[in-house]
Amino acid sequence: MMIAQPSAKYQPFPPVGLTDRTWPNRTITSAPVWLSTDLRDGNQALFEPMNGERKMRLFQELVRIGFKEIEVGFPSASQTDFDFIRRLIDEDLIPDDVTIMVITQSREELIERTVEALKGAPKAIVHVYNAIAPAWRRIVFDMSVPEVMGLVRHHIGYLKQLTDQHPETRWTLQYSPETFSAAELEVSLEACHTAIEAWGTSADRRVIINLPTTVENATANVFADQIEWMHRRLVPREHIVLSVHPHNDRGTGVAAAEFAMMAGADRVEGCLFGNGERCGNVDIVTLALNLYTQGVHPGLDFSDINAVARIAEECTSIPVHPRHPYAGDLVFTAFSGSHQDAIKKGFAAQDPDGVWEVPYLPIDPADLGRTYDSVIRVNSQSGKGGIAFMLEREHGVVMPRRMQVEFSAVVQRATDASETEISGAELWRLFRQTYLSSDASAPGIVYHAYRLDESGEGIALDVTVDGVRKTLHGKGNGPIAAAVHALDLRMRIDAYEERATGAGADAQAMAIVEAALEGVPGAGFGVGMSHNIVEASVQAVISVANRLVRQRRAQG
């Protein structure tokens, strides 16, 4: 159980003494170098690691998205990884502009196996790591700081000796002081410089220094301070690619990566959708699209985000959460009435060639290959704006605002009764049932046909009234007034609107009538739809008459 005084057990991570930090005043203006570790760090976090075929499918998807650096495995620890890497090399499956990376611990036999796995590759990054933080030095390895530096010097030197024997491959060293986020900065810097010195650098032999939050243990601003501290002191900085590998133990992996980029990081390692050990690696999809929404192209192609999500799910057997930023099935969906109304108005006001400015939508779903089909969906929390949006989008029905209020009450009763979301088809069924029903066996007036006299002031309505077929006659200043007169119901027309639903030869006219009936409080709406606008108007008059008469009967 949780203890009453957590400070007795957990200590806050001390801040970095960086009083002249500059990163808070910077903005990100370009994308980092991206390294996908889905096939290594992401894979080792799976309940059932990927087999060779699934790894190949995900590798191909990562290439398609645009990753130029991909960590493909841990060949000294896994025969599956070793065989997969050999297949990539032997079958020439690595594009010319893509560099593969593998990881190894600092042990001679593992380094030998790693180099063997990479023989023949045009270019390769070898990622060597060792833990340096106090708890690991004391508890796991029982090593002093000088002993740790000796280990780094020896094994990086050994890797250089082996790779120098294979000049056909362009080798790059990546060194990670594992547990960097929990280590003393001076020790981290010494470990990095030791690795750099053992490997050697020049303008055409750059070293990647990768600083991980192996376990996220502080707020993101502390990590940014650590990165800026290192960025200022690493030499020769011009020959170093400063990389970060944030984990998400505190749920701030994306923020840590963004702050780190502001603090001097050139490169980010992570996984699609945040897969990885414990709470995951940094989520590259979210991080990349965060950049995109700030006007910076990430250099990765998520134009079909649904396809990316489905392939990742199939390869990892981990579902993408429906509320996952940018990619979740529901992230562009609004159920709330006020949200729906704001989104509907935003779409109506949006300039197709202007700056994106639609309330509640930080990105245009169309940029990610998402349609607007699910932007607004209706349940018991929805309001008139969302209902109106769906009817307009799917059926071309544009309702006056007062009619939106009336019909939303109908929908609310239906969703309250079902306690479920209502589909577009069900919404349309409710609309037709409410305004367009023409059941001849039901009580009320059923329309069959109309005929105008030559003067245009008289009308004959062929209708069924309470089950009896008859012809009603009326006169008035136009078809609507004549139809009201023929019904003889003391009904007053308050408003009339015409709409076109659809376009072209198949477009129908829609007439909307607002009317009041003596003895019934308030007003109601009726709708008629036909290729003939006069017929649609007559249908609308009969529709509202039926609704108002039923309301009067219900009141007794």
Side-chain angles (χ1 to χ4, degrees):
M1 61 181 295
M2 295 179 69
I3 62 177
Q5 297 294 331
S7 60
K9 187 174 184 178
Y10 303 102
Q11 294 295 304
F13 194 85
V16 178
L18 195 68
T19 57
D20 59 344
R21 62 182 61 84
T22 61
W23 66 262
N25 295 321
R26 294 178 182 165
T27 57
I28 302 171
T29 58
S30 61
V33 176
W34 301 106
L35 181 282
S36 163
T37 185
D38 290 86
L39 300 176
R40 197 280 301 175
D41 205 341
N43 187 50
Q44 74 179 25
L46 301 179
F47 181 73
E48 293 184 0
M50 290 178 276
N51 59 23
E53 292 308 311
R54 284 193 290 160
K55 290 194 76 168
M56 184 61 69
R57 186 176 185 202
L58 189 51
F59 174 80
Q60 291 169 342
E61 179 65 3
L62 294 169
V63 169
R64 188 198 67 76
I65 290 168
F67 285 95
K68 303 305 180 187
E69 295 184 3
I70 302 173
E71 190 170 31
V72 291
F74 201 151
S76 63
S78 166
Q79 187 64 44
T80 299
D81 281 8
F82 187 97
D83 294 341
F84 174 71
I85 294 161
R86 288 312 317 166
R87 181 184 173 193
L88 289 175
I89 297 169
D90 295 338
E91 297 182 18
D92 194 23
L93 299 175
I94 307 168
D96 293 340
D97 60 348
V98 172
T99 302
I100 60 171
M101 184 172 88
V102 299
I103 191 169
T104 180
Q105 293 170 310
S106 297
R107 287 165 48 188
E108 287 189 4
E109 68 276 15
L110 301 184
I111 293 172
E112 291 172 5
R113 181 70 167 165
T114 299
V115 173
E116 183 181 350
L118 290 171
K119 286 180 182 177
K123 49 190 175 182
I125 302 169
V126 181
H127 179 192
V128 181
Y129 71 96
N130 64 290
I132 64 166
W136 278 259
R137 297 197 311 259
R138 184 180 70 255
I139 299 170
V140 182
F141 302 114
D142 189 24
M143 296 180 71
S144 65
V145 170
E147 288 173 326
V148 169
M149 300 308 152
L151 181 148
V152 173
R153 184 177 300 106
H154 172 74
H155 290 101
I156 298 298
Y158 187 63
L159 174 64
K160 182 177 185 299
Q161 176 186 331
L162 294 181
T163 55
D164 283 349
Q165 297 171 19
H166 299 281
E168 70 278 7
T169 298
R170 178 169 182 148
W171 301 94
T172 299
L173 170 70
Q174 173 166 313
Y175 174 69
S176 288
E178 192 194 8
T179 66
F180 162 78
S181 56
E184 311 95 325
L185 286 169
E186 292 79 5
V187 173
S188 296
L189 185 64
E190 183 180 356
C192 292
H193 280 155
T194 300
I196 292 168
E197 181 181 355
W199 182 258
T201 65
S202 64
D204 60 352
R205 187 178 170 86
R206 301 178 78 191
V207 170
I208 301 170
I209 294 297
N210 185 57
L211 304 178
T213 51
T214 304
V215 178
E216 195 175 33
N217 58 355
T219 51
N221 63 296
V222 172
F223 185 60
D225 281 350
Q226 292 174 319
I227 297 303
E228 182 166 343
W229 192 95
M230 293 288 288
H231 165 64
R232 294 182 185 182
R233 291 166 174 79
L234 282 167
V235 292
R237 184 63 180 88
E238 66 275 15
H239 299 159
I240 295 170
V241 177
L242 182 55
S243 176
V244 292
H245 183 110
H247 278 251
N248 199 45
D249 300 272
R250 291 171 52 89
T252 57
V254 169
E258 291 177 328
F259 285 2
M261 291 163 62
M262 294 159 62
D266 310 304
R267 180 176 180 270
V268 176
E269 298 188 350
C271 291
L272 297 176
F273 307 111
N275 184 32
E277 298 171 293
R278 301 180 310 279
C279 301
N281 289 33
V282 69
D283 176 355
I284 286 186
V285 172
T286 299
L287 187 57
L289 292 176
N290 281 358
L291 290 180
Y292 184 78
T293 64
Q294 301 301 301
V296 177
H297 199 291
L300 299 175
D301 184 5
F302 293 117
S303 297
D304 190 353
I305 195 68
N306 287 349
V308 176
R310 298 299 86 81
I311 290 173
E313 288 177 329
E314 291 167 11
C315 292
T316 65
S317 298
I318 296 179
V320 174
H321 194 281
R323 294 295 182 186
H324 192 287
Y326 303 110
D329 289 341
L330 295 179
V331 295
F332 298 124
T333 298
F335 291 105
S336 162
S338 60
H339 288 208
Q340 292 173 341
D341 185 61
I343 291 170
K344 178 177 181 293
K345 291 174 180 175
F347 277 133
Q350 182 64 33
D351 178 357
D353 300 318
V355 173
W356 179 254
E357 193 176 20
V358 174
Y360 297 111
L361 294 181
I363 192 171
D364 186 347
D367 289 0
L368 306 181
R370 297 282 291 267
T371 67
Y372 298 121
D373 292 347
S374 61
V375 169
I376 289 179
R377 288 159 64 173
V378 173
N379 65 10
S380 61
Q381 301 300 308
S382 304
K384 57 186 181 298
I387 294 164
F389 179 89
M390 289 183 67
L391 287 173
E392 180 177 351
R393 180 192 62 203
E394 298 183 13
H395 300 284
V397 172
V398 180
M399 296 185 290
R401 186 169 181 82
R402 292 188 302 279
M403 186 179 176
Q404 293 177 27
V405 174
E406 179 185 85
F407 186 55
S408 68
V410 175
V411 176
Q412 189 79 37
R413 287 192 294 270
T415 52
D416 282 343
S418 66
E419 298 182 346
T420 61
E421 178 187 351
I422 188 170
S423 67
E426 177 64 13
L427 187 65
W428 179 236
R429 188 196 67 78
L430 270 178
F431 183 85
R432 291 183 61 85
Q433 176 182 298
T434 303
Y435 297 111
L436 300 171
S437 178
S438 57
D439 184 355
S441 64
I445 307 165
V446 178
Y447 168 81
H448 299 297
Y450 79 96
R451 185 179 69 255
L452 294 176
D453 65 19
E454 293 182 359
S455 69
E457 295 182 354
I459 195 168
L461 301 180
D462 180 8
V463 294
T464 294
V465 181
D466 293 335
V468 179
R469 186 79 172 252
K470 59 178 66 177
T471 300
L472 304 178
H473 298 273
K475 289 187 177 183
N477 184 19
I480 294 177
V484 171
H485 181 250
L487 295 178
D488 190 25
L489 290 174
R490 296 186 180 180
M491 186 169 69
R492 183 187 74 244
I493 302 297
D494 290 339
Y496 169 79
E497 295 186 21
E498 295 177 5
R499 302 270 197 271
T501 60
D506 293 331
Q508 284 190 304
M510 183 176 71
I512 300 175
V513 169
E514 183 180 16
L517 184 65
E518 186 175 295
V520 178
F525 287 86
V527 177
M529 295 183 70
S530 172
H531 292 290
N532 181 312
I533 187 58
V534 174
E535 183 171 57
S537 301
V538 171
Q539 290 175 348
V541 170
I542 293 175
S543 169
V544 72
N546 277 326
R547 297 186 68 242
L548 292 171
V549 168
R550 284 196 295 268
Q551 187 176 345
R552 184 169 63 184
R553 289 174 178 172
Q555 293 171 354

